[in-house]
Amino acid sequence: MELLEAAGWTVRLESGGCCGRASFSKGLLDDARRKAGSLARRLARSSTPGSPIVGCEPSCILTLRDEHRQLLPDDPDVRDVSGRVRQVEELLVEAIDSGRLRLAESGLSGRRILYHGHCHQKAEVGTAATVALLRRIPGVEVVELDAGCCGMAGSFGFESEHYELSMAVGNDRLFPAVRAEPADTVVAATGVSCRQQIRHGTQRVARHPLELVRQSLAAS
C-alpha cells in the first residue's frame, strides 16, 4: 500500500473474505463458488469502475482473473473484476519508469538477489513483471532461478502424507541452489508457500520482492 500510494494511487484494502483458491484446489467447488461470488460482488460494487485490482499473492490474484470465471461464468461482477486484475509489479514498474515512484541506493546496493518464481504465476502470466521490478532497484544484480517447484504447492507440503515428497521436490533443484549462495545473497519469492518452504528446507529467509522495493524507496 505504501508503494502504491507513493506512486500516486489511492488504495483501498479489501480485507474481508477469501478468494476461494484453497477450496478450489481441494475440489470443494460449491464453497469456492460462494467465496468467489461474495468477494467479486464486494470488489465490483465498492471500487471505482475500471480501477485496477492487485494483490501480493499470485495464486489469489490469478484466481480472481481465471478460476472465478470458470466457477461463475455468467456472473457480471466476476467478469468485471477479472478484467481489472493487474499484477502489482506491473503498476510499480510503470510508476518507476514514468518518474512517479523513485527508488534510491539502499542497503541492497551491490547485493545479489536470487529470485524464485511462483508456479501458478509462471504458468499463467510469467515472471517478467516481477523480474523487471527487481531490476529497477538501484545497484542490485538479479538472478532468476530455473529450479522448478518448491514442493509446497499450496497446502500439499503441510500434509503429513505428502511431506517427504514435498521436501524431495524442493531438494531436487531449489534447495541446493539456495544453499550454494553466499550468506549476503538476498533470496526473494512472491509466493507465501514458496517462502515457507525455502525457510524450512534451507534455513534461509526469503523475502517478497515488494519488501525489497519498499526498502529502496527514495525519501520524499
Side-chain angles (χ1 to χ4, degrees):
M1 290 180 68
E2 290 176 358
L3 288 170
L4 289 169
E5 288 171 346
W9 293 97
T10 299
V11 184
R12 185 180 70 82
L13 177 65
E14 177 55 64
S15 57
C18 174
C19 69
R21 177 68 201 176
S23 300
F24 185 88
S25 68
K26 289 298 183 182
L28 305 174
L29 299 187
D30 289 340
D31 186 60
R33 285 190 189 93
R34 284 192 295 272
K35 290 174 178 173
S38 175
L39 181 57
R41 187 163 52 252
R42 287 198 305 276
L43 289 172
R45 300 180 188 184
S46 63
S47 60
T48 303
S51 59
I53 295 171
V54 301
C56 294
E57 173 61 33
S59 286
C60 293
I61 199 69
L62 293 172
T63 292
L64 297 180
R65 196 194 73 163
D66 297 312
E67 280 81 356
H68 281 192
R69 296 185 72 168
Q70 297 175 40
L71 291 166
L72 297 168
D74 299 321
D75 189 313
D77 291 331
V78 166
R79 289 198 299 270
D80 172 50
V81 168
S82 67
R84 292 198 269 147
V85 167
R86 298 279 307 278
Q87 295 182 86
V88 67
E89 295 96 324
E90 294 176 306
L91 295 187
L92 294 176
V93 166
E94 291 170 5
I96 292 167
D97 291 351
S98 69
R100 292 184 290 117
L101 186 68
R102 294 188 304 109
L103 303 185
E105 298 282 331
S106 68
L108 294 171
S109 298
R111 308 267 304 269
R112 175 179 167 96
I113 298 176
L114 190 72
Y115 168 62
H116 172 68
H118 186 284
C119 287
H120 195 166
Q121 180 183 7
K122 287 186 283 192
E124 295 287 344
V125 294
T127 58
T130 306
V131 173
L133 180 60
L134 287 170
R135 287 181 174 155
R136 297 308 192 274
I137 298 174
V140 301
E141 174 194 6
V142 178
V143 177
E144 181 177 12
L145 276 175
D146 179 18
C149 180
C150 71
M152 181 65 86
S155 64
F156 182 85
F158 281 112
E159 297 161 356
S160 58
E161 64 270 30
H162 300 139
Y163 174 76
E164 294 297 336
L165 177 58
S166 170
M167 295 305 292
V169 171
N171 269 312
D172 182 44
R173 284 187 287 167
L174 176 59
F175 297 166
V178 172
R179 293 189 193 108
E181 290 291 323
D184 64 347
T185 295
V186 179
V187 182
T190 41
V192 62
S193 294
C194 305
R195 296 194 299 276
Q196 290 171 326
Q197 187 79 333
I198 289 169
R199 178 65 178 267
H200 187 62
T202 70
Q203 288 71 58
R204 295 285 291 266
V205 175
R207 300 175 65 190
H208 195 288
L210 296 183
E211 293 182 273
L212 304 178
V213 176
R214 175 64 183 84
Q215 185 176 331
S216 303
L217 186 62
S220 56

Short mmCIF file of all heavy atoms in Angstrom, two decimals, residues 82-105:
data_model
loop_
_atom_site.label_atom_id
_atom_site.label_comp_id
_atom_site.label_asym_id
_atom_site.label_seq_id
_atom_site.Cartn_x
_atom_site.Cartn_y
_atom_site.Cartn_z
N SER A 82 -12.48 -9.70 -12.99
CA SER A 82 -11.41 -10.43 -13.69
C SER A 82 -10.77 -9.57 -14.77
O SER A 82 -9.56 -9.69 -15.02
CB SER A 82 -11.96 -11.72 -14.30
OG SER A 82 -12.88 -11.45 -15.35
N GLY A 83 -11.54 -8.69 -15.36
CA GLY A 83 -11.00 -7.82 -16.39
C GLY A 83 -10.14 -6.69 -15.85
O GLY A 83 -9.44 -6.02 -16.62
N ARG A 84 -10.19 -6.46 -14.54
CA ARG A 84 -9.44 -5.36 -13.93
C ARG A 84 -8.20 -5.83 -13.16
O ARG A 84 -7.46 -5.02 -12.61
CB ARG A 84 -10.34 -4.57 -12.99
CG ARG A 84 -11.43 -3.80 -13.72
CD ARG A 84 -11.98 -2.72 -12.82
NE ARG A 84 -13.12 -3.15 -12.04
CZ ARG A 84 -13.39 -2.71 -10.81
NH1 ARG A 84 -12.56 -1.88 -10.21
NH2 ARG A 84 -14.46 -3.12 -10.18
N VAL A 85 -7.99 -7.13 -13.10
CA VAL A 85 -6.86 -7.67 -12.34
C VAL A 85 -5.55 -7.32 -13.04
O VAL A 85 -5.38 -7.53 -14.24
CB VAL A 85 -6.99 -9.19 -12.18
CG1 VAL A 85 -5.68 -9.80 -11.68
CG2 VAL A 85 -8.13 -9.53 -11.23
N ARG A 86 -4.62 -6.78 -12.27
CA ARG A 86 -3.26 -6.50 -12.74
C ARG A 86 -2.28 -7.05 -11.71
O ARG A 86 -2.59 -7.14 -10.52
CB ARG A 86 -3.02 -4.98 -12.86
CG ARG A 86 -3.90 -4.23 -13.85
CD ARG A 86 -3.42 -4.37 -15.27
NE ARG A 86 -2.03 -4.01 -15.48
CZ ARG A 86 -1.58 -2.75 -15.65
NH1 ARG A 86 -2.42 -1.73 -15.61
NH2 ARG A 86 -0.29 -2.52 -15.89
N GLN A 87 -1.10 -7.39 -12.16
CA GLN A 87 -0.03 -7.69 -11.21
C GLN A 87 0.45 -6.37 -10.61
O GLN A 87 0.67 -5.39 -11.34
CB GLN A 87 1.13 -8.38 -11.91
CG GLN A 87 0.81 -9.75 -12.47
CD GLN A 87 2.04 -10.37 -13.12
OE1 GLN A 87 2.85 -11.00 -12.45
NE2 GLN A 87 2.17 -10.20 -14.42
N VAL A 88 0.62 -6.34 -9.32
CA VAL A 88 1.06 -5.10 -8.68
C VAL A 88 2.44 -4.68 -9.21
O VAL A 88 2.75 -3.49 -9.31
CB VAL A 88 1.06 -5.26 -7.14
CG1 VAL A 88 2.11 -6.26 -6.68
CG2 VAL A 88 1.24 -3.92 -6.46
N GLU A 89 3.24 -5.66 -9.58
CA GLU A 89 4.56 -5.34 -10.13
C GLU A 89 4.45 -4.51 -11.41
O GLU A 89 5.27 -3.63 -11.66
CB GLU A 89 5.34 -6.63 -10.43
CG GLU A 89 5.68 -7.45 -9.19
CD GLU A 89 4.69 -8.56 -8.93
OE1 GLU A 89 3.47 -8.34 -9.21
OE2 GLU A 89 5.09 -9.63 -8.45
N GLU A 90 3.43 -4.79 -12.22
CA GLU A 90 3.24 -4.03 -13.45
C GLU A 90 2.99 -2.56 -13.15
O GLU A 90 3.56 -1.67 -13.79
CB GLU A 90 2.07 -4.60 -14.25
CG GLU A 90 2.28 -5.99 -14.79
CD GLU A 90 1.05 -6.54 -15.48
OE1 GLU A 90 -0.03 -6.56 -14.86
OE2 GLU A 90 1.17 -6.94 -16.65
N LEU A 91 2.12 -2.29 -12.19
CA LEU A 91 1.81 -0.90 -11.84
C LEU A 91 3.05 -0.18 -11.32
O LEU A 91 3.28 0.99 -11.63
CB LEU A 91 0.71 -0.86 -10.78
CG LEU A 91 -0.68 -1.38 -11.17
CD1 LEU A 91 -1.67 -1.09 -10.05
CD2 LEU A 91 -1.17 -0.79 -12.47
N LEU A 92 3.84 -0.88 -10.52
CA LEU A 92 5.01 -0.23 -9.92
C LEU A 92 6.10 0.01 -10.95
O LEU A 92 6.78 1.05 -10.91
CB LEU A 92 5.52 -1.07 -8.76
CG LEU A 92 4.57 -1.17 -7.56
CD1 LEU A 92 5.13 -2.11 -6.50
CD2 LEU A 92 4.28 0.20 -6.96
N VAL A 93 6.31 -0.91 -11.87
CA VAL A 93 7.29 -0.68 -12.94
C VAL A 93 6.88 0.54 -13.77
O VAL A 93 7.71 1.39 -14.11
CB VAL A 93 7.44 -1.93 -13.82
CG1 VAL A 93 8.20 -1.59 -15.11
CG2 VAL A 93 8.19 -3.03 -13.08
N GLU A 94 5.60 0.63 -14.10
CA GLU A 94 5.11 1.78 -14.86
C GLU A 94 5.35 3.08 -14.09
O GLU A 94 5.75 4.10 -14.67
CB GLU A 94 3.62 1.61 -15.16
CG GLU A 94 3.32 0.50 -16.16
CD GLU A 94 1.83 0.19 -16.25
OE1 GLU A 94 1.02 0.92 -15.61
OE2 GLU A 94 1.47 -0.77 -16.96
N ALA A 95 5.12 3.04 -12.78
CA ALA A 95 5.30 4.24 -11.96
C ALA A 95 6.78 4.63 -11.87
O ALA A 95 7.12 5.82 -11.92
CB ALA A 95 4.73 4.01 -10.56
N ILE A 96 7.66 3.65 -11.74
CA ILE A 96 9.10 3.95 -11.68
C ILE A 96 9.56 4.54 -13.01
O ILE A 96 10.28 5.55 -13.06
CB ILE A 96 9.90 2.67 -11.34
CG1 ILE A 96 9.60 2.23 -9.90
CG2 ILE A 96 11.40 2.90 -11.52
CD1 ILE A 96 10.09 0.83 -9.57
N ASP A 97 9.14 3.92 -14.10
CA ASP A 97 9.61 4.37 -15.42
C ASP A 97 9.06 5.74 -15.79
O ASP A 97 9.69 6.46 -16.58
CB ASP A 97 9.23 3.34 -16.48
CG ASP A 97 10.02 2.04 -16.35
OD1 ASP A 97 10.98 2.01 -15.54
OD2 ASP A 97 9.68 1.07 -17.05
N SER A 98 7.92 6.11 -15.24
CA SER A 98 7.35 7.43 -15.54
C SER A 98 7.86 8.51 -14.57
O SER A 98 7.55 9.68 -14.74
CB SER A 98 5.82 7.37 -15.45
OG SER A 98 5.40 7.17 -14.11
N GLY A 99 8.62 8.09 -13.54
CA GLY A 99 9.14 9.04 -12.57
C GLY A 99 8.22 9.31 -11.39
O GLY A 99 8.56 10.11 -10.52
N ARG A 100 7.06 8.65 -11.34
CA ARG A 100 6.13 8.88 -10.22
C ARG A 100 6.59 8.17 -8.96
O ARG A 100 6.18 8.55 -7.85
CB ARG A 100 4.72 8.41 -10.61
CG ARG A 100 4.07 9.27 -11.69
CD ARG A 100 2.65 8.84 -11.97
NE ARG A 100 2.59 7.54 -12.65
CZ ARG A 100 2.04 6.45 -12.14
NH1 ARG A 100 1.52 6.47 -10.92
NH2 ARG A 100 2.03 5.33 -12.84
N LEU A 101 7.41 7.14 -9.10
CA LEU A 101 7.94 6.40 -7.95
C LEU A 101 9.45 6.37 -8.08
O LEU A 101 9.99 5.91 -9.09
CB LEU A 101 7.38 4.98 -7.91
CG LEU A 101 7.74 4.13 -6.68
CD1 LEU A 101 7.06 4.69 -5.44
CD2 LEU A 101 7.34 2.68 -6.89
N ARG A 102 10.14 6.89 -7.06
CA ARG A 102 11.60 6.99 -7.13
C ARG A 102 12.24 6.04 -6.14
O ARG A 102 11.89 6.02 -4.96
CB ARG A 102 12.04 8.43 -6.85
CG ARG A 102 11.60 9.44 -7.90
CD ARG A 102 12.23 10.80 -7.67
NE ARG A 102 11.96 11.33 -6.33
CZ ARG A 102 12.87 11.43 -5.37
NH1 ARG A 102 14.12 11.04 -5.58
NH2 ARG A 102 12.54 11.93 -4.20
N LEU A 103 13.19 5.25 -6.65
CA LEU A 103 13.98 4.38 -5.79
C LEU A 103 15.39 4.94 -5.68
O LEU A 103 15.86 5.66 -6.56
CB LEU A 103 14.03 2.96 -6.38
CG LEU A 103 12.68 2.27 -6.61
CD1 LEU A 103 12.90 0.83 -7.08
CD2 LEU A 103 11.80 2.30 -5.37
N ALA A 104 16.05 4.61 -4.58
CA ALA A 104 17.38 5.17 -4.31
C ALA A 104 18.32 4.07 -3.85
O ALA A 104 17.90 2.95 -3.52
CB ALA A 104 17.28 6.26 -3.24
N GLU A 105 19.61 4.38 -3.82
CA GLU A 105 20.59 3.45 -3.26
C GLU A 105 20.19 3.11 -1.83
O GLU A 105 19.71 3.96 -1.07
CB GLU A 105 21.97 4.10 -3.26
CG GLU A 105 22.51 4.45 -4.65
CD GLU A 105 23.06 3.24 -5.38
OE1 GLU A 105 23.53 2.31 -4.70
OE2 GLU A 105 23.02 3.23 -6.62
#
